[in-house]
Amino acid sequence: MEAQMALRDAEIFPSDRVLKDTLGDVYNVLESFLATITNEAYLLNIEWRYYNDGKAWLCKVQHKKKTILWLSVWEGFFKVSFFFTEKHLEAIAALDISEAIKTEFASSKAVGRLIPMIFNINNASQLVELLTVVRFKKTMK
């Protein structure tokens, strides 16, 4: 069965309680991730907004005015999406992340000029690679 996207009601803001009810045990992983990327080492800002085009709440994570990633909540996991251009392919291939992620990224279909890199996160062990990509995206030109 295909996973269902959560947070579809425009009237219900994704508060900690709503996120905890939706994600269950995975909420602790999300909480840890958000606490890490908003601390002094990363200084990223998070903003939850309801988007009518996708009919769901999404979290946009930015550094100053630069969008670093998009986060969406699903049943049993949260999805983190990055978007890169072709000029970043080589640098991404050199990152200290698994070959599986690199291979999936290399075979991703571009959306316009942007190539998506998507992580489905359901346990804390996945955060190491996710944070590696966050740091890369934050510092890339």
Side-chain angles (χ1 to χ4, degrees):
M1 192 169 122
E2 199 168 313
Q4 295 294 311
M5 188 176 198
L7 308 180
R8 296 292 203 162
D9 189 335
E11 303 297 313
I12 302 174
F13 182 83
S15 65
D16 289 344
R17 166 67 35 221
V18 169
L19 291 169
K20 189 176 269 189
D21 290 347
T22 305
L23 288 168
D25 294 341
V26 179
Y27 173 75
N28 295 333
V29 180
L30 174 64
E31 188 177 43
S32 171
F33 175 64
L34 295 178
T36 300
I37 64 174
T38 55
N39 72 18
E40 294 87 36
Y42 290 86
L43 294 173
L44 300 181
N45 299 308
I46 63 172
E47 176 193 352
W48 284 100
R49 243 173 74 194
Y50 186 80
Y51 289 87
N52 278 317
D53 57 351
K55 300 276 186 258
W57 285 90
L58 298 178
C59 180
K60 178 165 66 167
V61 177
Q62 293 181 294
H63 181 253
K64 298 178 182 167
K65 292 189 186 290
K66 176 182 182 179
T67 299
I68 305 298
L69 62 91
W70 292 90
L71 187 147
S72 57
V73 176
W74 297 67
E75 290 176 2
F77 66 97
F78 60 96
K79 189 175 285 206
V80 177
S81 305
F82 299 90
F83 294 91
F84 297 99
T85 60
E86 210 170 279
K87 72 179 183 182
H88 299 109
L89 291 175
E90 229 172 89
I92 289 168
L95 286 177
D96 186 18
I97 57 177
S98 75
E99 287 305 316
I101 293 169
K102 291 177 188 178
T103 302
E104 188 174 329
F105 173 69
S107 65
S108 292
K109 292 249 185 282
V111 179
R113 291 188 12 232
L114 299 175
I115 305 164
M117 178 184 284
I118 299 170
F119 288 79
N120 292 335
I121 305 293
N122 61 12
N123 76 62
S125 65
Q126 297 169 286
L127 295 182
V128 174
E129 290 182 318
L130 181 59
L131 291 169
T132 298
V133 179
V134 169
R135 285 189 298 276
F136 171 73
K137 178 77 179 197
K138 183 181 170 192
T139 59
M140 69 179 223
K141 299 285 181 236

